[in-house]
Amino acid sequence: MTVKTLERQDIVDFLYTEAKILDEWRLLDWAALFTDDGTYVVPPIGEPEAIPTKSLYYIHDNRSRLQERAERLLKKEAHVEYPHSTTTRNYHNILVSDIESDVITVECNFTTHRTKREVVDTFIGKIKYEIVRENDRLAIQRKKVVLNLDSLRPHGKISLIL
Amino acid sequence: MERIIQDNVEKSEFLVNRRVFSDKEILARERAEIFNKCWLFIGHETEIPEPGDYKRKKVGGRNLLFVHSHDGEIRALFNTCPHRGALVCREDSGNSRVFRCFYHAWSFKNDGELVGMPGKDGFPEGFNDEGTKNMKAVNRLENYRGFMFVNFDENAVSLEEYLGNAKEYIDLVVDQSEYGMEALGGVQQYSVRANWKLLAENSVDLYHGMPTHKTYFDIKQAQDPNLKRVKLEGKGINLGNGHSVIEYVAPWGRPVAQWTPIWDEEFKNDMEKMKERLAERFGEERANRIANYNRNIVIFPNLVINDIMAVTARTFYPSSPGYMEVQGYSLAPKGESDKHRLARNNNFLEFLGPGGFATPDDNEALELCQEAYTNNTEVQWNDISKGMVRGEGNALATDELQMRSFWRHYNSIIQASLDKEVAHQ
């Protein structure tokens, strides 16, 4: 089959699709967006380049841990997300680099609103993706979410997938 | 007014009046009688190892500057200018010889001494002879094996006397390292929309382990085919002064040193060696306790040290009856190899912290308690009776003696304060 030339819009659509999958709580589909060696990390606030042996990340998932995260959140016993919260994810200021290369780097700002029990918490920050072409699809090799907050107050937790 | 605790040993029933979680007057008394008088954790000495290192800390509602002064002493300065009160240091952490208030540019050495101000001719000579224009330090700052505490009551007993029987358990945590423990970067700053005492209870509550954290134990069982039944067994101990501990076995791996099948054979060998070394240092029995037993310790009122699948210290403070700010630390042996450190941190994050698979469910439980305390007028009492029927000397880790110990001490302070007020009326 012919390999279509990738365009920026393909990447943007891929990101919007990821956001939609998460907002629709199709978390197993979300995990399936990752490569077999995919990672999902949230570094400590104020230390986006923290060394994971020196500083504690909020989330430091390898492929199997992010699968467990997705599966756990779909269980009724994941109490913090039962009943499921309602989320709205917006990605903005999307910058795509190296679209020709094997690993495409994408940066965007994000705003994720979560509401549950009449309380809205808003997470804001920047996401850095490394995206690869794999079996005629796009897949996430790395997703790093940098929170642009001073602390996790009043949110208190990152129970949803950012 | 109803008493805040009903402690009925004969009936094996222990009740806590729910207004302690929602009443503003109770919070005012807690601030005056507990947070202004008890030893409060400020941080770990390894957070500021070098002269000039500093970190801002919120402790007991105060804005403090935890600083390693150039004379070698560690101090807790009130981060407020003696001139007009502005916050002097605005960076969260760093290294500096001098702190300067930007408002009128008064400057202070990192031991708090005033060393400069513009327009000196407007002040008399000897203006600061009594030191009243220096940044004020908390007079009582004491260290127990790297854990540093402040006390705003100048007449308080010493930290060691205050910790009392809890020292034995802090020792068990610290002794897992030959070179001492260190605090990692990335102290987790989060909150819970619930009363602070609910987190003190929750942190030594093993009874909730299975129902609240089933999803975590599902993962453990999937990782370890030999784990048929999750065993959480041990004892609950009252340590006096409101402190308490649970000491127990659990199915998770412990970085020092209980191997689990998620780790490779090399780890298994490393951990056997770690345990041999512990046995050389402390004998078999204590080595076994350090390596294979878990400890959740509550130091009254607001420090929790959990030596479980990783070591965490958390401290918390109420900004209102229904909201607390939490600081979560990770502690690890100094000199730990990168491979073991990474395994430790991954173990931590699997369960603990705002992004873990367990802590968010704890927070949810606490927030649901708080939300339903809107019913306090009609439904008044929390039940903390589990295990009383066995006698307090025989409490299991899954019983509630730990919480009763907290509440009995709490009651001796807060009920006394309420009674005194009534006597004055």
Side-chain angles (χ1 to χ4, degrees), chain B residues 119-342:
Chain B
K120 263 194 152 169
D121 59 348
F123 300 98
E125 231 175 279
F127 181 58
N128 190 29
D129 279 358
E130 285 157 24
T132 54
K133 312 303 171 190
N134 297 335
M135 283 177 78
K136 192 178 163 103
V138 184
N139 275 336
R140 303 294 300 278
L141 171 74
E142 292 176 24
N143 183 339
Y144 186 72
R145 301 206 67 184
F147 292 87
M148 302 205 65
F149 295 74
V150 291
N151 198 315
F152 301 111
D153 176 4
E154 298 190 6
N155 301 314
V157 299
S158 72
L159 175 64
E160 290 220 18
E161 186 180 340
Y162 179 82
L163 291 174
N165 297 332
K167 286 189 293 181
E168 176 190 350
Y169 289 87
I170 296 175
D171 290 345
L172 286 164
V173 178
V174 177
D175 283 346
Q176 64 184 271
S177 168
E178 267 183 78
Y179 313 104
M181 302 292 276
E182 64 186 3
L184 271 63
V187 174
Q188 299 183 325
Q189 307 280 354
Y190 60 104
S191 54
V192 190
R193 292 171 172 116
N195 187 268
W196 67 278
K197 300 182 291 297
L198 294 171
L199 185 54
E201 281 189 339
N202 171 266
S203 298
V204 279
D205 179 349
L206 204 61
Y207 186 31
H208 83 285
M210 274 310 288
T212 298
H213 303 308
K214 183 178 178 299
T215 59
Y216 171 79
F217 290 109
D218 286 349
I219 291 168
K220 287 291 113 186
Q221 281 179 312
Q223 290 167 348
D224 181 355
N226 295 320
L227 184 65
K228 299 278 183 282
R229 195 177 69 85
V230 171
K231 206 168 98 172
L232 293 168
E233 287 175 8
K235 52 191 176 175
I237 303 155
N238 170 17
L239 299 173
N241 287 349
H243 318 318
S244 62
V245 66
I246 48 176
E247 194 173 24
Y248 59 101
V249 292
W252 50 70
R254 291 173 48 78
V256 180
Q258 177 170 290
W259 186 80
T260 175
I262 57 168
W263 295 328
D264 62 20
E265 286 297 312
E266 189 189 327
F267 264 56
K268 201 172 192 174
N269 293 333
D270 292 350
M271 288 180 169
E272 277 164 16
K273 281 188 199 127
M274 283 179 197
K275 211 170 155 188
E276 277 167 26
R277 182 66 193 130
L278 285 171
E280 281 168 28
R281 291 167 65 207
F282 302 112
E284 288 291 336
E285 194 193 329
R286 188 173 170 82
N288 188 46
R289 236 177 125 190
I290 291 173
N292 301 111
Y293 277 78
N294 298 278
R295 278 160 287 280
N296 298 38
I297 313 166
V298 168
I299 306 294
F300 190 88
N302 68 337
L303 174 65
V304 170
I305 303 172
N306 285 355
D307 173 9
I308 44 182
M309 68 290 297
V311 181
T312 186
R314 58 169 80 116
T315 182
F316 34 92
Y317 183 77
S319 42
S320 69
Y323 186 86
M324 74 181 105
E325 294 190 349
V326 186
Q327 282 140 25
Y329 294 76
S330 172
L331 297 161
K334 282 182 190 165
E336 192 170 49
S337 76
D338 280 356
K339 194 177 162 191
H340 280 268
R341 179 63 61 83
L342 212 51

Side-chain angles (χ1 to χ4, degrees), chain A residues 3-144:
Chain A
V3 180
K4 175 179 167 290
T5 308
L6 267 183
E7 296 187 13
R8 180 183 183 278
Q9 191 59 44
D10 297 320
I11 303 291
V12 172
D13 288 349
F14 178 70
L15 260 51
Y16 288 168
T17 304
E18 188 220 6
K20 182 177 159 73
I21 285 172
L22 285 169
D23 282 341
E24 291 175 356
W25 278 88
R26 289 156 47 205
L27 303 186
L28 299 181
D29 292 343
W30 175 77
L33 294 176
F34 284 77
T35 60
D36 287 346
D37 61 350
T39 59
Y40 162 58
V41 302
V42 182
I45 287 171
E47 290 183 70
E49 303 303 327
I51 302 165
T53 51
K54 302 279 180 224
S55 287
L56 194 67
Y57 275 53
Y58 281 108
I59 292 170
H60 196 256
D61 287 0
N62 61 12
R63 183 62 181 78
S64 60
R65 178 72 60 84
L66 73 85
Q67 184 74 32
E68 286 164 354
R69 183 176 299 278
E71 289 173 9
R72 180 187 110 78
L73 284 171
L74 291 172
K75 292 183 179 180
K76 193 175 172 181
E77 296 90 0
H79 308 287
V80 66
E81 289 296 341
Y82 184 84
H84 290 169
S85 59
T86 303
T87 63
T88 304
R89 288 170 175 77
N90 292 309
Y91 292 166
H92 342 257
N93 301 27
I94 301 171
L95 287 171
V96 181
S97 314
D98 315 320
I99 199 156
E100 309 278 311
S101 75
D102 291 344
V103 180
I104 304 160
T105 304
V106 186
E107 277 189 22
C108 69
N109 291 343
F110 74 92
T111 308
T112 295
H113 305 283
R114 171 191 189 269
T115 180
K116 191 175 177 188
R117 297 203 304 275
E118 297 175 59
V119 177
V120 181
D121 285 316
T122 300
F123 297 85
I124 50 177
K126 190 178 276 297
I127 309 181
K128 189 171 175 181
Y129 293 90
E130 288 177 19
I131 294 172
V132 296
R133 295 178 79 156
E134 183 187 81
N135 305 326
D136 207 28
R137 66 154 195 165
L138 293 171
I140 304 169
Q141 197 161 50
R142 282 169 54 82
K143 178 176 181 181
K144 176 168 160 179

Side-chain angles (χ1 to χ4, degrees), chain B residues 41-90:
Chain B
F41 180 66
I42 178 168
H44 196 264
E45 63 180 8
T46 57
E47 290 182 84
I48 46 171
E50 303 298 330
D53 285 351
Y54 67 85
K55 262 188 141 181
R56 283 178 55 191
K57 297 279 185 180
K58 281 190 188 173
V59 183
R62 278 77 165 177
N63 257 303
L64 301 182
L65 196 52
F66 186 44
V67 57
H68 191 144
S69 306
H70 268 84
D71 62 5
E73 259 197 67
I74 289 182
R75 290 184 171 80
L77 302 175
F78 290 97
N79 192 6
T80 178
C81 187
H83 182 214
R84 294 292 173 77
L87 204 67
V88 175
C89 177
R90 292 170 290 159

